[in-house]
Amino acid sequence: KALLFSLIIMLVVYAAGLIPSPLLVLCLPFVIMGGITFSALSMIVTARVKGIDSLNYYITLVLTPLYLLSGIFFPLEGALKKIGALSPFYHTAAICQTLASGSFDGILLNGAVLSLTMCIMVFFAMLAMKKRLYR
């Protein structure tokens, strides 16, 4: 889903001429990694909640702040940048913004953090779901 939505947005933005850099296509693997990270995080929460109503807390208290502090909607500076850097959304957005500008600055660091976060989240999602299913 993340790949499809990102691809559609990239095509529209590129067709409109808002981002002239063809390097934007290179962010698709990172978008997939971000999607896997957040799907794993959601699986962890799904394995832990008692009922469907509890998911509202997760969306309101976790996903929305992570999304808002990703640097997509407004530039982050100071303490907000440090807090935002804890979010995989931030690293995915930073990679896409860097490639859209035609540069490669910081892609290795952001990609490494995103990869590590993805591996950790997938590991804990598998543990949480095994525990839930074997209960």
Side-chain angles (χ1 to χ4, degrees):
K1 187 174 175 180
L3 175 66
L4 180 64
F5 287 171
S6 297
L7 188 60
I8 290 169
I9 290 170
M10 283 181 206
L11 289 173
V12 169
V13 169
Y14 190 74
L18 298 174
I19 297 178
S21 175
L23 294 178
L24 191 61
V25 173
L26 297 177
C27 73
L28 290 176
F30 298 106
V31 168
I32 293 170
M33 289 170 48
I36 291 171
T37 302
F38 275 94
S39 65
L41 181 59
S42 296
M43 289 302 293
I44 292 169
V45 172
T46 300
R48 309 284 300 170
V49 297
K50 303 265 188 247
I52 195 164
D53 294 332
S54 299
L55 292 175
N56 289 333
Y57 298 117
Y58 166 66
I59 292 169
T60 304
L61 298 174
V62 177
L63 278 187
T64 302
L66 289 177
Y67 190 55
L68 291 174
L69 293 174
S70 64
I72 294 172
F73 302 107
F74 51 88
L76 301 177
E77 297 175 1
L80 282 181
K81 187 170 186 169
K82 292 177 183 176
I83 294 169
L86 299 173
S87 168
F89 273 141
Y90 174 83
H91 298 288
T92 306
I95 291 169
C96 291
Q97 290 168 350
T98 301
L99 289 172
S101 69
S103 175
F104 289 103
D105 294 339
I107 289 181
L108 288 178
L109 177 63
N110 287 315
V113 171
L114 186 59
S115 298
L116 180 65
T117 307
M118 180 186 73
C119 291
I120 291 169
M121 290 297 167
V122 168
F123 175 76
F124 283 114
M126 289 171 56
L127 285 179
M129 287 307 291
K130 282 181 185 178
K131 184 177 179 181
R132 176 72 181 229
L133 292 173
Y134 288 132
R135 204 183 309 168

